[in-house]
Amino acid sequence: MYHIVKPGETLSVIARNYRRSLSQLFAANPSITNPNLIFPGQQILIPGLPNPDTIPYSIIVSRGKRNLTLLKNGAVQKVYPIAVGKMLTQTPIGEFVIVNREPNPGGPYGVMWLSLSKSGYGIHGTNNPASIGQFVSKGCIRMYNENVLELARIVPNGTRVLIQP
């Protein structure tokens, strides 16, 4: 998949967001010889992730409605209740992709963690099911454990995630 460089982004930030090393990005993008000479609008190949356009699934997160909608080829498959970030740690708005996953991450993350292409953010289960439907997280998207497991079985890494207000 390709990442389009945004103003102010560095190659290090892009590597961190996609959980790739700088050496992996250099190997996949041989035209980049100086990491300080990337520019807004430039396409950076992210190795190991499929193009989201080749994946029939996509996810739309509504912060306001506190729900996550799974689509297949643009048609709604299922709508899940979620919890999102509180006022001071709001869930980021934008378009991301799922870059990796970790079963049983422990602590407050429940039974599954799906990393988003923004470092520190993900879709995950919870050890506090009463929080679902609330504005309570530090910016992540919380789901009931059974729901995040179902979602993780369906969507592959590379799936597009659109987070809306």
Side-chain angles (χ1 to χ4, degrees):
M1 84 158 275
Y2 283 94
H3 172 82
I4 307 299
V5 177
K6 296 173 192 69
E9 278 188 319
T10 65
L11 203 57
S12 293
V13 166
I14 295 167
R16 187 169 46 254
N17 283 342
Y18 286 95
R19 312 323 183 272
R20 301 296 187 263
S21 67
L22 275 173
S23 61
Q24 288 174 306
L25 291 185
F26 282 126
N29 297 275
S31 64
I32 299 175
T33 56
N34 182 336
N36 299 316
L37 295 179
I38 64 170
F39 55 90
Q42 182 177 358
Q43 287 189 341
I44 306 288
L45 178 64
I46 307 299
L49 282 179
N51 179 341
D53 294 335
T54 66
I55 297 171
Y57 295 101
S58 59
I59 293 170
I60 298 175
V61 172
S62 169
R63 291 189 332 188
K65 293 178 185 172
R66 290 174 307 288
N67 66 30
L68 180 152
T69 303
L70 173 65
L71 300 107
K72 182 176 183 183
N73 297 317
V76 174
Q77 298 297 294
K78 194 156 185 182
V79 178
Y80 299 96
I82 60 170
V84 294
K86 55 191 171 211
M87 180 69 77
L88 295 176
T89 56
Q90 292 187 9
T91 303
I93 291 171
E95 189 174 306
F96 309 96
V97 297
I98 296 171
V99 297
N100 64 24
R101 58 197 60 221
E102 182 182 351
N104 300 311
Y109 307 115
V111 297
M112 178 64 70
W113 170 273
L114 303 173
S115 295
L116 295 180
S117 56
K118 182 167 179 69
S119 183
Y121 293 92
I123 300 169
H124 61 79
T126 183
N127 64 355
N128 180 10
S131 68
I132 302 301
Q134 308 296 313
F135 294 97
V136 293
S137 80
K138 292 185 178 175
C140 288
I141 299 154
R142 287 186 195 172
M143 299 180 75
Y144 289 117
N145 285 325
E146 61 271 17
N147 290 349
V148 76
L149 286 172
E150 180 178 85
L151 184 68
R153 281 192 299 270
I154 296 169
V155 299
N157 291 345
T159 299
R160 183 175 282 120
V161 178
L162 179 62
I163 302 176
Q164 301 175 327

